[in-house]
């Protein structure tokens, strides 16, 4: 079993920091020293180039953090290079059909399960040339494909999406979902709870974890645990934290 997925099946919180603004491995070291277990390099909301994203992921892996990268919507050609460069987890946004999920999953794994292009050197093996018979199954087992559901259409097809081979977990994007409903940021709307319950039921049927993202209130997230949500918590983005720290420091000097 994938070690990271196994941890998500426990009760202890698994903390993940999103990286949007930072461009050096310093932010990864900060994530490590502040008790995070994973990072998510967010290309969906960033102008960051692929080589920087891959370098951040490789640094995270070296430090024992699980490195996710959220790709831009439907830019699935970037999945292979990012995985080759050090990413181990992929977050694919705004997926609404099983066919879309299957395309993503196949891009992330080698034949016969997928169509990831063959290579011999990756950061996880210290760039040591490694035979395909060893490298392929090791990377396939270590890779986590997370499908992000952000629309009512995606929720309606949750069972079909969760059933796709190679999809390891689902995630619910509360921000985009509430915007789609016309109630942006209203996470207590009953339709949000209903959607999460539907996704959790689909994931439980197929033995896959469900993460909820976009809700900044830890108490609300704990309430959702009862529905079957896994303990992967997105603590925030480097941009948000930098702003909060700068604002607090300015207030301190002006007091």
């Amino acid at each position: 079993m994938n070690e990271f997925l196994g941890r998500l099946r426990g009760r202890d919180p698994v903390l993940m920091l999103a990286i949007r603004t930072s461009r050096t491995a310093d932010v990864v070291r900060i994530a490590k020293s502040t008790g995070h277990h994973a990072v998510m390099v967010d290309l969906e909301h960033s102008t960051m180039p692929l080589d920087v994203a891959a370098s951040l992921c490789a640094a995270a892996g070296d430090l024992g953090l699980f490195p996710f990268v959220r790709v831009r919507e439907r830019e699935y050609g970037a999945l292979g290079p990012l995985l080759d460069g050090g990413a181990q987890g992929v977050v694919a946004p705004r997926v609404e059909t099983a066919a879309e999920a299957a395309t993503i999953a196949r891009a992330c794994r080698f034949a016969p399960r997928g169509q990831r292009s063959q290579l011999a050197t990756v950061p996880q093996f210290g760039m040591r040339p490694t035979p395909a018979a060893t490298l392929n199954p090791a990377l396939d087992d270590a890779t986590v494909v997370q499908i992000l559901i952000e629309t009512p259409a995606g929720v309606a097809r949750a069972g079909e999406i969760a059933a796709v081979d190679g999809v390891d977990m689902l995630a619910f994007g509360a921000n985009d979902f509430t915007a789609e409903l016309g109630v942006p940021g209203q996470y207590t709307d009953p339709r949000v709870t209903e959607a999460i319950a539907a996704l959790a039921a689909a994931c439980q049927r197929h033995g896959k974890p469900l993460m909820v993202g976009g809700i900044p209130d830890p108490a609300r997230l704990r309430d959702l645990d009862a529905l079957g949500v896994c303990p992967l918590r997105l603590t925030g983005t480097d941009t948000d934290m930098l702003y909060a720290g700068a604002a607090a420091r300015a207030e301190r000097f002006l007091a």
Side-chain angles (χ1 to χ4, degrees):
M1 176 186 293
N2 179 284
E3 182 178 347
F4 185 79
L5 292 174
R7 185 166 193 163
L8 296 187
R9 292 183 169 87
R11 294 178 177 268
D12 294 333
V14 179
L15 305 182
M16 181 164 68
L17 174 67
I19 301 173
R20 175 187 175 192
T21 302
S22 303
R23 297 293 191 271
T24 73
D26 287 352
V27 68
V28 179
R29 295 186 179 94
I30 290 171
K32 174 71 173 180
S33 66
T34 53
H36 288 79
H37 308 94
V39 296
M40 182 188 73
V41 180
D42 187 5
L43 295 181
E44 185 185 16
H45 298 291
S46 168
T47 59
M48 185 186 300
L50 295 187
D51 59 342
V52 174
S55 294
L56 292 173
C57 287
D62 288 345
L63 291 172
L65 301 176
F66 193 85
F68 279 97
V69 59
R70 179 160 66 184
V71 295
R72 296 166 185 128
E73 188 175 338
R74 292 179 175 79
E75 284 194 6
Y76 305 144
L79 292 171
L82 288 165
L83 290 168
D84 294 349
Q88 296 178 47
V90 166
V91 181
R94 203 176 181 83
V95 174
E96 295 185 316
T97 69
E100 291 173 6
T103 297
I104 296 157
R106 287 186 58 78
C108 294
R109 289 189 167 86
F110 297 103
R113 289 185 70 193
Q115 54 193 34
R116 180 176 172 182
S117 182
Q118 191 65 57
L119 79 166
T121 57
V122 292
Q124 296 95 312
F125 283 80
M127 304 308 291
R128 182 192 303 274
T130 305
T134 300
L135 183 138
N136 289 13
L139 291 185
D140 278 358
D141 290 344
T143 299
V144 173
V145 176
Q146 181 189 108
I147 298 299
L148 183 54
I149 307 295
E150 303 179 273
T151 66
V155 172
R157 301 184 182 99
E160 300 169 21
I161 294 170
V164 172
D165 176 50
V167 168
D168 298 294
M169 62 183 296
L170 300 188
F172 176 72
N175 286 321
D176 283 284
F177 188 82
T178 55
E180 288 270 339
L181 296 180
V183 290
Q186 296 185 29
Y187 308 121
T188 57
D189 188 291
R191 291 170 293 180
V192 172
T193 304
E194 292 168 5
I196 293 171
L199 290 173
C203 286
Q204 288 168 357
R205 285 196 301 272
H206 296 283
K208 298 176 182 180
L210 170 68
M211 174 198 174
V212 171
I215 297 179
D217 181 5
R220 173 64 173 151
L221 289 172
R222 285 192 294 269
D223 290 341
L224 295 172
D225 287 345
L227 298 177
V229 175
C230 81
L232 181 57
R233 308 295 199 219
L234 186 63
T235 61
T237 69
D238 58 345
T239 311
D240 298 335
M241 294 180 182
L242 178 61
Y243 181 89
R249 187 63 60 90
E251 183 177 349
R252 173 182 167 189
F253 276 87
L254 293 173

